[in-house]
Every structure is written in C-alpha cells, then in structure tokens.
Amino acid sequence: KMPRNWTRTLYLDAKNQFKDLEVSLPPSIVDKLNVVFGWAEKSVYELSNRIVLESITSPEEDSDPFGLKKTLHRNQFWAELRSATASSLAYSTVFVSVSQGDVSRREPEELVMFHSALYATGLWDNRLRDMTAALIINKVDALGTPTQATLLLPQETLVMYGGDGRWVLGSRVVNPTGRLLFHQLPYRP
C-alpha cells in the first residue's frame, strides 16, 4: 500500500500539479486558468478538527477511572491525538503502540506513540481479531531507505539497524505482558 499512501501524500500536500495534456484546451485559456489546490488538505484537516475526544470516563464518579491521566499527560496524548486523527483520515489508518520509555532520556515510563501508515504496519489475524506482529520504521536516510526499525512481537521487541544491505540487532526487550502492544485505529473500522 506504500505507493498509494505516497500518492495520497502528494494530493494532501497539493503537490500533484495541474498538467495540460494539450488535447482539449487552447493555450490562451490554459494561461488564464487558475486551478485551486488544497481541497484534499482542507477536507482532511477540517474533518479532523471536528473529531474531538474530550475525556475518558466510566460510570463511576472517578475523574481518572483507569489511572491513565498522568500517563496520557506525560505523553502529550491529547496533542498527538489530533495529528493521529488527521493521519488516519489521510491514509485510512493510524497505529498506536505502548512501550517502556527510557527515563534516562527524559521519556515517560510508559511511552504511548502514534505511527503513520507511511512508516508502520502490522500483521492482522482474522481468527484472533488482533495484530500478531508489527513493524515500525524509526529512521530513514536521505533517500528514504529505512536505517532503523522496531519489530514488535507478543513476547519481545527488537530494535534493528540497517545499512549497506544488511541489518543487525541493536536491542531486544522482553515484553512482560505477552501481548502485542500495538493497535490499529482505522478511519472506518
């Protein structure tokens, strides 16, 4: 789906320029023709602005029923959610992952991150109705070739570094939950 997603990016950024095929319009009209770009971007971001998650509640009166308030605040969840919503509208899906943060780098203890469909994917199991593995492209070089990737599995997370046609394992972290902490948030489920 990568080529289709890049085409969507071009339309979203209004970089798919008007091309005169010199078939039906005379040159005098083409010179005066003002083509409006930006409608794709406007449709995505205007709809995204209307989608607002105001709070997470439960039937009880507790203001933080699931103990998420501090974690979501540390991860700037509400600000990131706006960007993730726009990404989901543009590419039909977005992914969210949860992992252990590196506190020595001032990351939150629980790291909640959204991932665009341009740089993340997962394997869906129809019978389980869940993801069984996921791949996140963390870094790319100037040509867009991946140089760092994270492979998420139910039992472990692997960070890999690539270059010159080969990949090496950088780190392996055991997942104590035994569940894949990576979920798809589709635009239309």
Side-chain angles (χ1 to χ4, degrees):
K1 294 186 181 183
M2 181 64 85
R4 188 171 51 205
N5 282 340
W6 281 114
T7 300
R8 290 175 178 160
T9 299
L10 289 173
Y11 279 112
L12 187 65
D13 294 341
K15 292 180 180 158
N16 197 4
Q17 298 295 322
F18 173 74
K19 295 175 187 131
D20 179 20
L21 301 177
E22 300 177 5
V23 175
S24 61
L25 295 174
S28 60
I29 292 178
V30 171
D31 293 338
K32 295 176 184 174
L33 188 62
N34 292 323
V35 179
V36 177
F37 292 110
W39 287 107
E41 180 183 41
K42 186 171 183 69
S43 65
V44 166
Y45 288 104
E46 287 301 316
L47 183 55
S48 172
N49 289 339
R50 292 174 177 257
I51 300 171
V52 178
L53 177 65
E54 294 179 351
S55 64
I56 298 172
T57 61
S58 73
E60 291 82 34
E61 295 293 321
D62 188 0
S63 65
D64 190 14
F66 306 106
L68 293 172
K69 194 176 214 173
K70 188 185 293 185
T71 299
L72 296 180
H73 176 73
R74 287 183 181 156
N75 281 278
Q76 301 178 12
F77 182 82
W78 303 110
E80 295 287 333
L81 182 63
R82 293 183 65 92
S83 178
T85 301
S87 184
S88 180
L89 291 170
Y91 305 115
S92 301
T93 194
V94 72
F95 301 97
V96 63
S97 66
V98 179
S99 61
Q100 186 176 2
D102 185 353
V103 182
S104 68
R105 293 183 54 211
R106 297 183 22 227
E107 292 178 350
E109 290 179 40
E110 301 88 15
L111 196 56
V112 179
M113 295 182 67
F114 292 101
H115 308 279
S116 165
L118 290 173
Y119 296 103
T121 190
L123 293 177
W124 180 260
D125 186 315
N126 285 329
R127 294 183 72 158
L128 293 175
R129 308 276 195 278
D130 203 0
M131 296 275 184
T132 56
L135 179 68
I136 301 167
I137 304 300
N138 301 356
K139 293 182 183 176
V140 295
D141 63 16
L143 298 174
T145 305
T147 58
Q148 181 184 354
T150 301
L151 178 64
L152 296 112
L153 302 166
Q155 305 301 326
E156 61 188 350
T157 299
L158 309 172
V159 178
M160 302 163 293
Y161 298 92
D164 300 326
R166 58 187 279 266
W167 286 83
V168 294
L169 180 63
S171 66
R172 177 186 307 232
V173 178
V174 174
N175 180 355
T177 67
R179 295 181 49 212
L180 188 68
L181 301 176
F182 181 89
H183 295 281
Q184 181 182 24
L185 302 174
Y187 165 57
R188 287 192 175 172

